[in-house]
Amino acid sequence: MTAVEPTEPEVLVRREGTLGHLILNRPRAMNALTHRMMMTIGRQLTDWETDDAVHAVLLTGAGERGLCAGGDIVAIYRDTVAGGTGTSTFWADEYPVNLQIARYPKPFIAMMDGVVLGGGMGVSAHASIRIVTERTKVGMPETAIGFVPDVGGTYLFGRSPGELGTHLALTAGTATGADAIRLGLADRYLASEKVPALVRALGEMTAGSDLQSTLDSFTEAPPAAPLLASQSWIDACYSADTAEQIVANLQQSPEADARATADVILAKSPTAVKVTLESLRRARKLPNLEAVLEQEFRVSIHSLKRPDFREGIRAMVIDKDRTPQWSPPELADVSDAEVASHFDDLGADELRLTALAHPHSN
């Protein structure tokens, strides 16, 4: 008989000096998040919060491709095809962890090197210290799979300068590390070759170490943010109240990049595009992250019941034919009533975050 090799945990938990170190450990899946991973992160953060020997927490990703490519959408697809409830349960536990990270009383350092998409933003872009590199690609690609930005994505994008966040959300585009800093999604810039040395230095810190000085010795001023060069036409085109008018503005723009962007949006799920725009506009008016996450949970559960989410995952990830058949297929076919229905209360299934202090203490 051949011995079965032990399976490594999906999240590696380490103590290095005064540092608590969490390593997302699914490198073959670009560290895509599972329910079990989120529960592990939440429980460990709760334990370290009251551990006086832990002065800061670091989040990194295993492998060479990046921190995290988002939630495990293959698992979501299988759950929806089977008519299960695993996805809604996952989200109900995931969003409180996103909030827990945002509220964390100790320094939470997120190493946002490489790919940081969707759920990956939820575990990093709410951190108190967010470090990006020249390899960083950060974004919320949900409209490409018939879904809507969640995990606080509409909170982050809704508060980005001008309409840059709206542009990234509707196009499912990505931003560079330098862009992320200018958009308010990150704080510090680091050459990727220095990441291992910084991680070692953080692990060698003692009770008398100065975290900010340690970070200062490695990080540097970011280069120019390429997205900012397009802000003028982005702000002008995306200031409209409807997705149809935004597309029309882009199509009529003298800027070639703007006209090309119209085609990008028209290839996305019309329902997802319209609901995403409405989510962003509403998020800007909500008072805090808790309220936005509660809104996103409602929208996510309603989106789960629509055909485009399953079809988007099928086309982009399962069959990989990249020819999703959206229903309905045109922006004009998505009614205002259909968009509004995504924000309806869920009744007993409603997620309430404002009363949760330590959701993973048990």
Side-chain angles (χ1 to χ4, degrees):
M1 296 180 63
T2 303
V4 177
E5 293 187 7
T7 302
E8 278 197 320
E10 293 179 333
V11 179
L12 302 179
V13 179
R14 296 177 178 172
R15 278 285 307 277
E16 300 159 357
T18 59
L19 183 73
H21 190 180
L22 297 171
I23 305 171
L24 306 182
N25 191 40
R26 298 184 69 209
R28 291 184 179 179
M30 296 178 69
N31 300 320
L33 297 167
T34 65
H35 191 180
R36 181 167 50 193
M37 291 169 75
M38 293 305 300
M39 296 298 288
T40 299
I41 293 169
R43 283 194 297 266
Q44 197 58 55
L45 289 178
T46 298
D47 290 344
W48 281 339
E49 183 173 338
T50 55
D51 186 340
D52 292 338
V54 175
H55 293 187
V57 174
L58 172 67
L59 178 72
T60 62
E64 300 298 324
R65 301 172 72 183
L67 176 67
C68 177
D72 189 341
I73 58 176
V74 173
I76 291 173
Y77 179 82
R78 291 170 178 164
D79 181 56
T80 57
V81 169
T85 59
T87 300
S88 57
T89 302
F90 170 38
W91 290 335
D93 286 325
E94 180 184 24
Y95 294 11
V97 176
N98 302 144
L99 179 60
Q100 187 179 15
I101 290 170
R103 285 179 167 180
Y104 208 60
K106 297 180 179 181
F108 187 108
I109 308 159
M111 195 67 70
M112 299 170 69
D113 183 34
V115 172
V116 186
L117 301 176
M121 279 184 59
V123 294
S124 62
H126 300 300
S128 54
I129 301 170
R130 304 161 297 178
I131 302 173
V132 290
T133 74
E134 82 283 354
R135 296 183 345 116
T136 297
K137 291 183 179 179
V138 60
M140 302 293 294
E142 279 73 10
T143 58
I145 56 170
F147 193 45
V148 178
D150 65 338
V151 297
T154 61
Y155 177 88
L156 295 163
F157 280 164
R159 286 159 174 77
S160 292
E163 297 293 341
L164 295 175
T166 308
H167 168 69
L168 289 177
L170 297 193
T171 60
T174 59
T176 68
D179 288 326
I181 291 175
R182 295 304 183 95
L183 267 67
L185 309 176
D187 309 293
R188 288 175 173 263
Y189 189 87
L190 175 73
S192 61
E193 63 184 19
K194 296 181 180 179
V195 168
L198 175 56
V199 171
R200 286 194 300 272
L202 292 171
E204 293 168 357
M205 291 181 62
T206 64
S209 299
D210 184 340
L211 174 60
Q212 296 303 322
S213 295
T214 299
L215 294 171
D216 288 344
S217 65
F218 286 90
T219 57
E220 60 194 66
L227 192 59
L228 291 185
S230 300
Q231 186 169 5
S232 179
W233 66 257
I234 287 173
D235 286 353
C237 292
Y238 286 88
S239 61
D241 293 329
T242 67
E244 290 94 333
Q245 188 59 54
I246 288 173
V247 169
N249 291 346
L250 292 166
Q251 291 172 330
Q252 296 162 13
S253 172
E255 297 286 343
D257 287 347
R259 297 193 298 273
T261 296
D263 293 333
V264 172
I265 294 176
L266 290 173
K268 304 299 184 280
S269 159
T271 301
V273 166
K274 282 198 164 184
V275 176
T276 294
L277 180 62
E278 181 67 13
S279 295
L280 289 165
R281 298 298 193 245
R282 292 189 183 210
R284 285 177 175 172
K285 300 176 182 178
L286 293 174
N288 50 40
L289 178 59
E290 292 95 321
V292 174
L293 284 166
E294 289 166 1
Q295 172 177 282
E296 289 178 346
F297 186 73
R298 289 194 297 274
V299 172
S300 295
I301 295 300
H302 287 300
S303 297
L304 193 62
K305 301 172 184 177
R306 267 57 172 190
D308 277 8
F309 191 18
R310 184 190 302 182
E311 171 63 8
I313 299 175
R314 180 208 63 75
M316 299 301 178
V317 180
I318 305 300
D319 296 337
K320 298 182 180 179
D321 57 42
R322 302 195 178 277
T323 56
Q325 302 300 306
W326 303 124
S327 178
E330 305 289 341
L331 286 171
D333 297 329
V334 183
S335 69
D336 291 345
E338 169 62 15
V339 172
S341 70
H342 284 72
F343 298 86
D344 288 346
D345 288 341
L346 300 171
D349 295 326
E350 190 76 55
L351 184 70
R352 297 296 185 193
L353 288 168
T354 51
L356 298 180
H358 298 288
H360 299 280
S361 58
N362 295 328

